[in-house]
Amino acid sequence: MRQLFFTCFLLAVLPAAFAQEYSVTSPDGKLHVKLTLTEGRLFYAVELNGNEMLEKSPLGLQGKSLNLAERLRLIEQKTTSIETRYQEPKIKQRQVHYKANEWRGRLENDAKQHLEVIFRVSNNNIAFRYHVPQVGEPANFSIEREHSGFKFPPVTKTFLTPQASPMIGWMKTKPSYEEEYQVDQPLGIPSKYGVGYTFPALFRVGDKGWVLVSETGVNGAYCASKLSEGSEDGLFSIAFPEPGENNGIASANPTIPLPGYTPWRTLTVGSNLKPIVETTIPFDVVEPQYKASKEYSFGRATWSWLEWQDGSIKFEDQKKFVDLSASLGYEFVLVDNWWDARIGRDKIEELVAYGKGKGVGICLWYNSNGFWNDAPQTPKNKMNTAVARKQEMAWMQRIGIKGIKVDFFGGDKQETLQLYEDILSDANDFGLTVIFHGCTLPRGWERMYPNFVGSEAVLASENLIFTQHANDTEAFNATLHPFIRNAVASMDFGPVLLNKRHNRENSGGTTRKTTETFQLATSVLFQTPVQNFGITPNNLEEMPEHVIDFMKQVPTTWDETIFIDGYPGRFVVLARRKNDTWYIAGVNAEEKEKTISVYLPMLSGQTLQLLEDNQAREPKQRSVKLTKSKIVKLTLQAGGGVLLVGH
């Protein structure tokens, strides 16, 4: 009895002297998270199929009043199984069956303050977060540092985009998640601006596989986070926004009420790229924040501003684009900046009535503004305060506006996340869908907010008009997005620019380097439930009939997505299903023609429509029969694309 008492005494007063280990494994037994409590600090490591994908990485939270990262001891733990099914039409997979094993550990520090660490491990995916109970009088926790880290083995290569410094860029509108990617880089290279990296972040762990790191479940109760600069030994940590963001107003660190949760940190881990492209983890661990006020509809839109720019924001030009949408069978027209000054509210009401007569809904652009940008575009100061916002939305509801696009946010602070959520919630009250532009990455928002459509948060198609460099690198960037940015959230890119020259007359400005078939393929590769396409009225006369016919039929919501082949920055082929129709899309960023064999078991024995480029890089269409081998050989021109459509 004396020996037992002495042992228990040592465990109670000297936990730092012992290393304690705990673990949780995916339902299929292949993905393994090992947690270690060493010298009062908690760490985790990740293995897939016995291969180390993440080395010992730190966990914990720290603030002025609470230190929940050191001198910890485990006082309670439990492991449970989770199984849920949900339907979400706005993501890559309409019906989702989520199964995971969850480990919850409650830890205590010397001051008897508590921290709960929660890990959920599903097949190929990990999500973890913290829960801080209220212990004693403090009812809130200002978090100065989140110790959560991701330590990669030395063989790892990175596929990262840098976070921009605050208040730089056009009219002080950054960070807006619009920086260029650096791919296949070794660990330890500093980022362009020295303030870390934007989520999501992709890593290749030698020949062992891939890890995609991001976060989800972020709302107005927290800030959006990023990855820190990487250390020479491969450690990246969660980092909060820069103090200068949003014109330096408000705290860069989040404060949560107690009891309270942090957002989920997510890792998708695969021996190949298939789990990366197909992951649904951003939506698996979140819940709807409110009920939809109506059944929202999604679809396709034309958008005059992209090719015709500010000069097109006038009544007669917008009528032309309503006619264009009607001729294509599209559901919407997006009217961009300055509409209040250059068209006027009375004429907007007239445009809405004109569109209604043709079965086309109108969506309107707004400046998010307030104190955080110098962008002059109007309407201004309509979205940044509750009174003005609700008055504006009531007017839109009365005249029949379908949705809004809100631009120029420039920061990730908690106060800014509250604005995003307030806009979404109010818009739902008035039956409006919402697209964000010049903005942060959406983090589980498709499931959290029923009227949320998508966000830009990418170096999008408008840059093809602004710079020739964007055209020169268009194919390279397109082959990144299915693996990184678009893998975790809907992406309002604005694809399918069929003009060979990017101006109104199709005769000047920057020059498109990719083929027409490439452009068509991006309508499938880039996923968002409302696509603002770059098609213009002249394209109806200038393009081959099969090009326009394809754009008339292509859907924007999908029932299933399957990765087929590719490598970030080189090429990509994936398949998406709508009802019983499959769309297989591929693009090639390499400098040479590429021939690949594609295995399509879901279309065995079928005759497919093949859209491709000939040797002259012109768009062609023909029928192909899928043989019993279920393999079809595809040729992709440099900067070209391919599409297969079949039932």
Side-chain angles (χ1 to χ4, degrees):
M1 177 65 76
R2 183 177 298 175
Q3 180 64 40
L4 176 62
F5 173 81
F6 181 68
T7 302
C8 293
F9 173 79
L10 285 177
L11 287 172
V13 301
L14 296 175
F18 298 86
Q20 300 164 275
E21 293 186 355
Y22 321 95
S23 66
V24 58
T25 302
S26 60
D28 66 5
K30 296 179 181 179
L31 184 61
H32 182 75
V33 175
K34 183 173 74 172
L35 296 111
T36 307
L37 189 60
T38 305
E39 297 182 346
R41 298 190 63 192
L42 187 64
F43 299 87
Y44 75 106
V46 176
E47 290 184 356
L48 178 67
N49 297 320
N51 292 316
E52 185 178 54
M53 305 300 289
L54 211 64
E55 297 180 353
K56 189 176 177 182
S57 303
L59 295 165
L61 299 174
Q62 189 169 338
K64 286 183 179 179
S65 59
L66 294 173
N67 185 346
L68 298 173
E70 299 174 337
R71 301 189 65 80
L72 300 172
R73 55 186 168 271
L74 186 74
I75 59 174
E76 183 182 346
Q77 65 165 319
K78 65 176 180 178
T79 302
T80 57
S81 296
I82 293 174
E83 184 170 357
T84 60
R85 295 179 186 269
Y86 65 91
Q87 176 176 294
E88 179 49 68
K90 294 180 293 180
I91 64 175
K92 67 187 82 166
Q93 188 93 4
R94 178 180 287 266
Q95 302 284 350
V96 180
H97 183 194
Y98 175 63
K99 296 175 66 176
N101 292 321
E102 179 182 273
W103 180 86
R104 284 178 175 257
R106 180 180 282 257
L107 299 106
E108 183 182 72
N109 65 9
D110 290 346
K112 304 295 184 181
Q113 297 159 333
H114 288 186
L115 174 70
E116 279 192 355
V117 180
I118 305 161
F119 270 83
R120 288 188 185 176
V121 183
S122 55
N123 297 345
N124 294 110
N125 291 284
I126 299 164
F128 69 89
R129 66 173 175 174
Y130 305 100
H131 176 241
V132 184
Q134 182 174 358
V135 178
E137 183 177 335
N140 57 74
F141 179 20
S142 181
I143 302 171
E144 294 189 326
R145 181 183 176 189
E146 181 171 335
H147 287 258
S148 305
F150 312 88
K151 190 174 186 301
F152 289 93
V155 295
T156 300
K157 295 294 183 69
T158 67
F159 296 70
L160 303 174
T161 182
Q163 182 85 347
S165 302
M167 303 296 287
I168 65 170
W170 187 79
M171 294 293 174
K172 301 177 183 176
T173 54
K174 289 190 177 184
S176 55
Y177 290 61
E178 297 179 81
E179 308 309 308
E180 294 190 69
Y181 284 87
Q182 297 295 315
V183 306
D184 260 327
Q185 299 295 305
L187 296 169
I189 296 179
S191 73
K192 180 178 179 179
Y193 300 101
V195 293
Y197 298 95
T198 293
F199 282 131
L202 181 65
F203 301 85
R204 178 168 63 90
V205 186
D207 60 0
K208 299 174 184 176
W210 299 79
V211 179
L212 182 68
V213 179
S214 194
E215 65 176 356
T216 192
V218 183
N219 57 19
Y222 214 80
C223 65
S225 300
K226 60 184 178 180
L227 281 184
S228 70
E229 294 287 295
S231 67
E232 290 186 2
D233 63 351
L235 177 64
F236 296 81
S237 299
I238 292 292
F240 296 142
E242 297 300 306
E245 291 180 22
N246 294 119
N247 214 13
I249 306 297
S251 173
N253 297 343
T255 298
I256 61 174
L258 299 181
Y261 288 91
T262 65
W264 293 97
R265 313 308 177 196
T266 65
L267 301 97
T268 300
V269 188
S271 57
N272 55 50
L273 286 159
K274 183 177 175 66
I276 305 297
V277 175
E278 298 179 11
T279 184
T280 57
I281 192 62
F283 319 109
D284 296 340
V285 294
V286 301
E287 298 289 342
Q289 301 295 287
Y290 50 74
K291 292 183 178 180
S293 64
K294 68 177 205 180
E295 185 176 347
Y296 291 102
S297 60
F298 311 100
R300 302 151 300 174
T302 60
W303 176 29
S304 72
W305 180 87
L306 185 57
E307 290 279 23
W308 289 16
Q309 295 284 288
D310 288 350
S312 69
I313 310 303
K314 52 191 178 184
F315 184 70
E316 290 304 322
D317 276 354
Q318 294 310 307
K319 284 182 65 177
K320 292 177 183 177
F321 275 80
V322 170
D323 294 342
L324 176 60
S325 281
S327 68
L328 293 165
Y330 287 6
E331 293 79 7
F332 307 109
V333 161
L334 172 61
V335 183
D336 217 279
N337 56 193
W338 301 113
W339 59 262
D340 59 330
R342 300 183 182 187
I343 297 175
R345 291 176 182 269
D346 290 343
K347 281 291 190 180
I348 286 292
E349 291 192 38
E350 187 178 330
L351 185 68
V352 171
Y354 181 76
K356 185 176 181 181
K358 290 180 172 282
V360 176
I362 305 299
C363 302
L364 295 178
W365 182 98
Y366 283 85
N367 193 331
S368 74
N369 310 56
F371 51 76
W372 46 85
N373 73 62
D374 293 336
Q377 285 90 339
T378 62
K380 294 173 64 174
N381 299 316
K382 298 294 186 182
M383 289 293 133
N384 56 305
T385 61
V387 172
R389 185 168 56 243
K390 291 177 180 179
Q391 289 175 346
E392 190 75 2
M393 289 178 175
W395 169 74
M396 286 188 276
Q397 184 183 49
R398 178 177 64 80
I399 70 170
I401 295 297
K402 300 300 183 183
I404 57 175
K405 172 183 171 181
V406 189
D407 207 342
F408 303 136
F409 285 86
D412 279 336
K413 293 179 178 178
Q414 187 169 355
E415 184 169 303
T416 314
L417 271 293
Q418 290 168 355
L419 177 64
Y420 282 112
E421 188 168 60
D422 289 346
I423 291 172
L424 286 161
S425 178
D426 286 348
N428 180 61
D429 289 343
F430 292 96
L432 300 166
T433 59
V434 180
I435 292 173
F436 292 121
H437 205 72
C439 58
T440 194
L441 175 79
R443 293 157 162 90
W445 294 357
E446 291 90 331
R447 190 175 180 210
M448 293 166 67
Y449 307 110
N451 57 323
F452 172 74
V453 172
S455 295
E456 183 190 28
V458 69
L459 197 64
S461 61
E462 61 191 33
N463 292 279
L464 299 170
I465 285 80
F466 299 155
T467 72
Q468 186 57 45
H469 172 71
N471 288 272
D472 297 341
T473 57
E474 181 184 11
F476 167 75
N477 287 315
T479 62
L480 296 175
H481 301 321
F483 302 105
I484 311 175
R485 165 65 181 86
N486 212 187
V488 300
S490 298
M491 183 176 75
D492 183 46
F493 186 89
V496 191
L497 287 78
L498 295 175
N499 279 5
K500 294 182 183 295
R501 301 295 300 275
H502 291 312
N503 69 355
R504 180 168 182 150
E505 293 75 27
N506 196 14
S507 61
T510 56
T511 302
R512 171 165 55 82
K513 294 295 188 69
T514 56
T515 68
E516 285 79 27
T517 310
F518 177 103
Q519 292 296 320
L520 299 185
T522 62
S523 69
V524 176
L525 284 174
F526 299 161
Q527 181 267 321
T528 196
V530 173
Q531 291 274 28
N532 293 300
F533 290 130
I535 298 173
T536 52
N538 55 290
N539 298 151
L540 299 185
E541 304 298 327
E542 297 169 354
M543 288 292 113
E545 184 178 0
H546 80 269
V547 169
I548 301 303
D549 285 346
F550 177 82
M551 290 309 301
K552 287 180 178 179
Q553 67 165 318
V554 66
T556 63
T557 57
W558 305 99
D559 298 315
E560 188 176 357
T561 296
I562 296 176
F563 172 65
I564 294 175
D565 200 359
Y567 190 92
R570 300 177 189 174
F571 76 103
V572 61
V573 183
L574 58 78
R576 299 194 197 271
R577 179 177 60 84
K578 177 69 171 182
N579 298 324
D580 62 350
T581 302
W582 283 95
Y583 294 78
I584 293 91
V587 296
N588 179 20
E590 296 181 328
E591 296 181 358
K592 296 180 180 179
E593 175 184 291
K594 190 176 192 68
T595 300
I596 57 174
S597 294
V598 175
Y599 179 60
L600 302 175
M602 66 290 234
L603 292 168
S604 179
Q606 301 298 310
T607 298
L608 314 177
Q609 291 302 307
L610 172 62
L611 288 73
E612 60 184 348
D613 304 307
N614 62 18
Q615 290 293 320
R617 296 168 57 81
E618 298 167 337
K620 298 296 180 184
Q621 178 178 254
R622 61 187 174 94
S623 297
V624 295
K625 180 71 180 270
L626 197 61
T627 65
K628 292 182 179 179
S629 69
K630 306 171 188 176
I631 293 174
V632 61
K633 188 172 289 187
L634 302 175
T635 299
L636 291 85
Q637 300 297 325
V642 66
L643 282 158
L644 283 164
V645 183
H647 302 281

